[in-house]
Amino acid sequence: MDKIEAKDLNAWYDGNHVVKNVSLRIKSNQITAVIGPSGCGKSTLIRCFNRMHELIPGAKVSGKVLLDGEDIYDDSVDPVDIRRKIGMVFQKPNPFPTMSIFDNVAIGLKLNGVKDKKKIREMVERSLKMVALWDQVKDRLNDSGASLSGGQQQRLCIARALAVEPEVLLLDEPCSALDPNATSKIEELIVKLKENYTIVIVTHNMQQAARISDFTAFMYLGELIEYGETSRIFKQPEKELTEKYITGRFG
Amino acid sequence: MVRLLDLGIEKLNNMILDMAELSTKAVTTAIQAYTEGKDVRKEIFEWSEKLRFIQDEVSELAVELIARYQPVASDLRFIKSSMEITYGLSRFGRYAYDITTVLSMFGDLSKCDHSTIIKMADKVKVMICKSIEAFIKRDVELARTLSNMDDEVDNMYKEYVKRIIENKESNLRCSVSATLILRYLERIADHANSIGDKVIYIITGESVPRK
Ligand SMILES: Nc1ncnc2c1ncn2[C@@H]1O[C@H](COP(=O)(O)OP(=O)(O)O)[C@@H](O)[C@H]1O
Ligand SMILES: [Mg+2]
């Protein structure tokens, strides 16, 4: 089943056309990796999936993005609601440094108007358990988020995204600031999360895409060059450009 | 820009070419010696061992390249196929040796009619050359011609066995020894054919279904 469908999606920054006529279907409960050289539009593409792109001054979007068949760019849709359903985690772990570990996870719930303290506690615990951080932090929930290691901070950010019960998780190079050990832990977590979430991950690490994703999209200069099952893309890409990029014969 | 992986791939390629040359020589020499009644067991055995040795080196290097560089796409297909192709080439050597042992088992066969063997050996030698040429030139069309030739060799073998069953070959020593040789040749043809399949796989990614 398709969770997200992009149809003729285009994106601009001040007239600079950076995502060009992209159409693709993201499958439910699967991990889709977006790969391609730096600057090819990967981050912009996934930011169009939860209406984050339009927050940048001068940014423009055209085309459609359907979530469960409904166009998220329809006038009747509240973008805040979309961003709750489609959560995002960024490249650098970005816990709010002045906030406690607890509040770092609870913040999304509070911003979404959840007031019930008991419910908030439950959701924070549940989210921290999902990212396998609970046992390590349960006795120091009031410590600053910045006191955690890089890998733990990234898991904290994933917990924050999960706390508001999204349906889709967009991960933009979530491991690029992490060491190999923390990276494999995050990868294991991502694979586990696909049971309950649809995941789109931007990565510049092709081996990471090969290890964890079910589908791979390869972008180049704003265009979607090839999209298909990861097992095929890495054994037998159809397009010459894909072959060149994934074998490191680019440029 | 030369990729680090390219150095390894070039090394694999060169080892395959070395094996191709030696295995061709082994088969040609074994057949020639057979028809001339010459004993070349020792020589061919050494070549066959050398082929096995290089084949092991190819496997080692292929696994190392996979571990070090995590190759994908055509690189991965080449590396996987290098192991399979060198297996085929080392079998050429092994069957060449088997051919030389027939003479020592059966003794003097100079009175036997070798015409079927010579005919089939010529075809098999062409197949070996074509499989190697297809590999060197990465020529899919040439590789595809091997399948028909393999069928022809299979049929020649089956027909000869049928003749024996129908008692059309009177001399038992001649017919049994010839059957063995033809069987070895038929196996060689089979491996030449599958080398062709690997060449097709390297280039197109398409796996040719086994017969
Ligand atoms: N906030 C921005 N303002 C203006 N241009 C931007 C902005 N973010 C990205 N771009 C430009 O858009 C293009 C695509 O960027 P991005 O989507 O970040 O690529 P990727 O994630 O593949 O590295 C690049 O040329 C980049 O310079
Ligand atoms: Mg990016």
Side-chain angles (χ1 to χ4, degrees), chain A residues 58-97:
Chain A
K60 203 184 106 186
V61 185
S62 82
K64 281 189 171 143
V65 174
L66 311 182
L67 175 67
D68 294 321
E70 309 273 345
D71 188 1
I72 66 167
Y73 285 98
D74 194 273
D75 287 342
S76 64
V77 172
D78 178 1
V80 174
D81 192 37
I82 292 301
R83 287 174 211 132
R84 190 199 60 74
K85 284 186 181 160
I86 307 182
M88 190 148 192
V89 174
F90 302 90
Q91 177 168 359
K92 275 236 196 85
N94 58 343
F96 303 109

Side-chain angles (χ1 to χ4, degrees), chain A residues 98-151:
Chain A
T98 55
M99 251 181 224
S100 69
I101 292 171
F102 184 91
D103 286 339
N104 258 290
V105 181
I107 177 86
L109 292 163
K110 289 178 181 167
L111 290 176
N112 272 280
V114 183
K115 299 224 166 60
D116 182 348
K117 288 241 165 68
K118 186 161 162 273
K119 162 114 186 170
I120 292 177
R121 285 206 80 84
E122 272 171 21
M123 292 305 292
V124 168
E125 177 172 341
R126 185 172 159 267
S127 307
L128 285 169
K129 279 183 174 161
M130 270 195 282
V131 301
L133 204 54
W134 177 250
D135 287 336
Q136 295 157 52
V137 301
K138 63 174 189 280
D139 301 321
R140 43 185 285 215
L141 289 169
N142 293 321
D143 290 5
S144 144
S147 69
L148 299 171
S149 74

Side-chain angles (χ1 to χ4, degrees), chain A residues 13-14 16-19 36-45 47 53 56-57 172-173 202 219:
Chain A
Y13 293 99
D14 293 318
N16 182 18
H17 196 181
V18 303
V19 171
S38 161
C40 71
K42 304 180 293 295
S43 298
T44 308
L45 174 72
R47 284 203 296 258
H53 179 64
I56 294 161
D172 195 349
E173 303 193 10
V202 167
M219 287 182 75

